Amino acid sequence: MRHEAESGYAWLRLGAALALVTLGGSGMYIVTVALPPVQAEFGVDRSDASLPYTLTMIGFGLGSILMGRLADRFGVMVPVMLGALCLGGGFLAASLAPSLWPFALAQGVLIGFLGSSATFAPLVADTSLWFFRRRGIAVAICASGNYLGGALWPPIVQHFFDAAGWRATYAG
């Protein structure tokens, strides 16, 4: 079966991409909510507790280049699957971190560099291939998933941080 640009299939792919970008963005926004409990548990000041977020964002930026190259070479599915595995593994590794540095490295490398980055640039680029007349709005919808994640994930994880703690929430 051949699928055409601007078809119902293209819009279905856009919906899936929006959901994946929203889910992938969790790694960038959950760490901001985790800042106070991580700071308290590891006994560090606010500037040191901000290191995991800094590394996550640097990892996201650099990882987007790598994930874009992977998508160009192998298709969008390879980076998205790699990102899903690394995002899940990163949250689990961060939940088990004995100190700030392992937590920061899990955030920066697994969650930022290999996780969240895989669900943004490759999916935005892939979306652009499925639309011609409405390419601008399609790309904007896909990219907005990152910001939708910023609105969606913080209140959800704050609830679970309050109910179960940050480590259990990260592991879950």
Side-chain angles (χ1 to χ4, degrees):
M1 175 188 268
R2 188 164 175 246
H3 298 289
E4 300 290 327
E6 308 278 341
S7 67
Y9 180 73
W11 287 98
L12 183 67
R13 284 182 71 103
L14 175 58
L18 175 64
L20 288 169
V21 173
T22 302
L23 185 61
S26 66
M28 295 187 299
Y29 296 107
I30 290 174
V31 69
T32 60
V33 180
L35 189 82
V38 165
Q39 178 185 1
E41 182 168 329
F42 294 142
V44 295
D45 61 28
R46 184 69 114 181
S47 62
D48 290 339
S50 298
L51 177 66
Y53 177 74
T54 302
L55 293 180
T56 301
M57 296 312 291
I58 291 170
F60 177 78
L62 295 175
S64 292
I65 297 167
L66 171 68
M67 295 304 167
R69 291 184 63 101
L70 281 176
D72 286 345
R73 184 166 182 139
F74 301 108
V76 73
M77 192 64 114
V78 170
V80 169
M81 293 301 289
L82 175 65
L85 291 172
C86 289
L87 198 60
F91 279 121
L92 188 57
S95 76
L96 300 171
S99 65
L100 182 65
W101 274 102
F103 178 78
L105 288 174
Q107 274 290 152
V109 176
L110 292 172
I111 294 174
F113 185 72
L114 296 171
S116 291
S117 66
T119 62
F120 187 74
L123 289 169
V124 171
D126 183 69
T127 295
S128 73
L129 300 174
W130 285 91
F131 292 87
F132 296 110
R133 288 182 340 178
R134 295 184 177 98
R135 182 176 290 152
I137 191 69
V139 168
I141 289 169
C142 183
S144 71
N146 195 309
Y147 307 104
L148 182 58
L152 179 71
W153 291 113
I156 291 171
V157 297
Q158 184 64 61
H159 167 76
F160 287 106
F161 281 4
D162 294 342
W166 75 267
R167 287 184 184 273
T169 302
Y170 260 67

